[in-house]
């Protein structure tokens, strides 16, 4: 079994042999800020990413790292991955979550894309809440490489446990921009 796992990992790495682009972006909503760094997210193959998200009203924040795999099918990029996230909602249920999920990015033109992604960590994949959910979707525009501008909607919430309430950490529209190399 160990040899099979090594073979599968080697095959996935070979398939993703193209150069991995790196990038960073910032998103600003009415009540939140999100910083994101990524490597390989815009091409087929393995990718890694990290982000820090803060609710500027109440200080709630999350931060984490993730990895996954992209598959490009014509103008559509599909991905699946997992993350390790620190949750700091300031409601007595600080902890970690390991959400799994994926997303889709559809190129409408050479410079305009629509995207969406979602991740969930049920009770067995976190230590402080019953359920962790995050979703993000929107439209991006690349007027000139390497700059990308985007608008979208982001939602992050948790279901409390041990008598703690359910609550929304982040929920709202945003504008953002980033660069990739």
């Amino acid at each position: 079994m160990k040899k099979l796992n090594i073979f599968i990992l080697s095959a996935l790495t070979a398939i993703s042999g193209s150069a991995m682009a790196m990038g960073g972006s910032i998103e600003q909503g009415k009540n939140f800020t999100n910083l994101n760094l990524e490597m390989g997210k815009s091409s087929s193959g393995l990718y890694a990413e990290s982000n820090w998200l803060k609710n500027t009203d109440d200080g709630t924040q999350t931060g984490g790292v993730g990895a996954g795999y992209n598959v490009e099918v014509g103008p559509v990029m599909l991905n699946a991955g997992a993350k390790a996230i620190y949750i700091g909602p300031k409601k007595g249920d600080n902890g970690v979550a390991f959400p799994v999920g994926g997303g889709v990015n559809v190129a409408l033109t050479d410079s305009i894309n629509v995207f969406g992604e979602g991740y969930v960590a049920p009770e067995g994949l976190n230590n402080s809440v019953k359920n962790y959910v995050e979703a993000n979707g929107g439209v991006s525009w690349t007027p000139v490489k390497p700059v990308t501008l985007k608008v979208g909607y982001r939602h992050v919430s948790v279901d409390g446990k041990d008598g703690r309430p359910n609550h929304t950490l982040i929920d709202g529209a945003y504008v953002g921009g980033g660069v990739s190399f």
Side-chain angles (χ1 to χ4, degrees):
M1 185 67 174
K2 185 176 178 182
K3 288 182 181 181
L4 178 62
N5 289 340
I6 291 171
F7 173 75
I8 291 171
L9 182 59
S10 298
L12 290 174
T13 303
I15 291 170
S16 63
S18 62
M20 289 187 152
M22 296 178 62
S25 64
I26 185 168
E27 300 167 358
Q28 183 63 55
K30 180 179 177 186
N31 302 323
F32 67 92
T33 300
N34 183 48
L35 301 174
N36 189 51
L37 296 173
E38 62 186 37
M39 183 170 65
K41 192 88 187 243
S42 61
S43 59
S44 289
L46 298 172
Y47 71 85
E49 64 181 335
S50 66
N51 83 308
W52 175 72
L53 180 63
K54 181 169 184 169
N55 183 318
T56 52
D57 276 348
D58 65 9
T60 297
Q61 57 187 334
T62 68
V65 296
Y69 198 80
N70 288 326
V71 175
E72 192 169 5
V73 182
V76 178
M77 180 79 72
L78 303 169
N79 70 55
K83 297 181 180 185
I85 304 243
Y86 165 75
I87 307 168
K90 296 195 173 198
K91 304 239 187 234
D93 49 8
N94 295 12
V96 294
F98 300 96
V100 294
V104 62
N105 187 338
V106 180
L108 301 177
T109 69
D110 287 342
S111 63
I112 298 175
N113 293 350
V114 293
F115 61 89
E117 66 179 357
Y119 286 83
V120 64
E123 193 166 3
L125 294 176
N126 60 68
N127 71 347
S128 62
V129 296
K130 279 186 188 173
N131 192 33
Y132 169 90
V133 175
E134 72 175 64
N136 176 33
V139 177
S140 67
W141 174 50
T142 305
V144 60
K145 295 219 184 242
V147 175
T148 298
L149 305 173
K150 58 185 175 175
V151 296
Y153 195 89
R154 183 175 294 279
H155 174 86
V156 179
S157 62
V158 296
D159 293 336
K161 72 176 183 182
D162 299 330
R164 293 185 208 103
N166 301 345
H167 50 280
T168 300
L169 284 68
I170 304 293
D171 191 43
Y174 66 85
V175 295
V179 294
S180 60
F181 310 94

